[in-house]
Amino acid sequence: ANDSASEALSIYIHIPFCKSPCYYCGCNKIVTQDQEKADKYLNYLEKEMRSRADAFSHYRVSQIHLGGGTPTFLTDSQQSRLVTMVRQYFDVVDTATWGIEADPRTVDNHSLTHLASIGYNRLSFGVQDIDFQVQEAINRVQSTKNIAELVTHAREIGFASINLDLIYGLPHQTERTFQTTLSAVIAMAPDRISLFSYAHLP
């Protein structure tokens, strides 16, 4: 950190908790319904931030991204605490990009409004596929109508960029069913699409 000529810093924070497993996921995750585990995790994150802060005191943070797991596993108060911690231990510029990956099954209009109010301005929804048979096979049944409504609300409350995640090669997926998914996604008019290939992890 001391030898770098750059003064810009990007921070990635991993939130490993999920309320249920998605069968395509190879990320580091802990499946739990216990919200208190997130409090314990935040305690350790704060210890790590405190231990690293001096080494990066001359850096200015321009990007923060929360991935998972399910970053939206955190409650509104836990989200607020995390943002406060980042701002306490690092020099975050006013124009910083704050991004978060959202499971549409774990957010609603109220929680999206809260995320925007504490500084998040980029949002990524995990869509993957809208076909019910595919969703059942990957243990991620979710409403396409709900996702579209969340995207609309996120845009209305000022999120600067909205990304939708898709996966190709999923069980029971065909070119015809994936075309239906693509049509639904195009109708939502996201700013970006992230398209990943399915990796079978028994």
Side-chain angles (χ1 to χ4, degrees):
N2 289 332
D3 292 341
S4 174
S6 173
E7 294 182 350
L9 184 67
S10 297
I11 295 177
Y12 170 77
I13 299 173
H14 190 77
I15 306 298
F17 306 107
C18 298
K19 291 189 175 179
S20 64
C22 300
Y23 295 158
Y24 56 81
C25 181
C27 299
N28 186 345
K29 59 189 177 295
I30 298 167
V31 178
T32 181
Q33 301 290 323
D34 184 359
Q35 205 67 45
E36 290 185 4
K37 287 188 176 181
D39 288 317
K40 295 177 183 177
Y41 188 71
L42 290 175
N43 290 341
Y44 282 105
L45 270 179
E46 183 167 16
K47 288 178 69 175
E48 182 168 1
M49 288 183 191
R50 188 184 303 119
S51 70
R52 303 291 178 93
D54 286 348
F56 295 98
S57 59
H58 60 291
Y59 282 78
R60 305 200 74 198
V61 177
S62 57
Q63 296 185 61
I64 303 96
H65 184 78
L66 263 67
T70 307
T72 49
F73 178 91
L74 300 183
T75 64
D76 288 353
S77 61
Q78 289 169 339
Q79 294 284 3
S80 295
R81 179 188 173 192
L82 178 56
V83 168
T84 298
M85 283 160 44
V86 172
R87 293 188 182 280
Q88 177 182 351
Y89 293 105
F90 298 96
D91 183 9
V92 181
V93 300
D94 292 338
T95 57
T97 296
W98 288 78
I100 186 168
E101 298 170 12
D103 181 338
R105 300 169 301 172
T106 63
V107 293
D108 55 21
N109 287 353
H110 172 83
S111 54
L112 289 182
T113 300
H114 179 74
L115 290 172
S117 73
I118 59 176
Y120 287 96
N121 48 37
R122 295 178 72 96
L123 190 61
S124 180
F125 287 110
V127 176
Q128 322 318 347
D129 194 290
I130 71 164
D131 184 83
F132 181 73
Q133 187 180 19
V134 176
Q135 291 182 352
E136 275 197 317
I138 62 175
N139 198 38
R140 192 183 174 102
V141 175
Q142 55 191 12
S143 164
T144 306
K145 180 176 180 289
N146 180 56
I147 296 172
E149 290 172 350
L150 291 171
V151 169
T152 298
H153 181 71
R155 192 170 282 123
E156 289 173 349
I157 60 176
F159 277 90
S161 178
I162 298 173
N163 175 77
L164 299 181
D165 284 348
L166 300 176
I167 298 178
Y168 66 90
L170 291 172
H172 303 297
Q173 202 177 55
T174 67
E175 290 184 11
R176 180 185 58 80
T177 62
F178 197 55
Q179 180 60 56
T180 302
T181 292
L182 291 176
S183 296
V185 166
I186 290 169
M188 297 181 208
D191 300 286
R192 292 180 17 159
I193 293 172
S194 296
L195 179 61
F196 303 94
S197 62
Y198 171 59
H200 185 60
L201 300 167

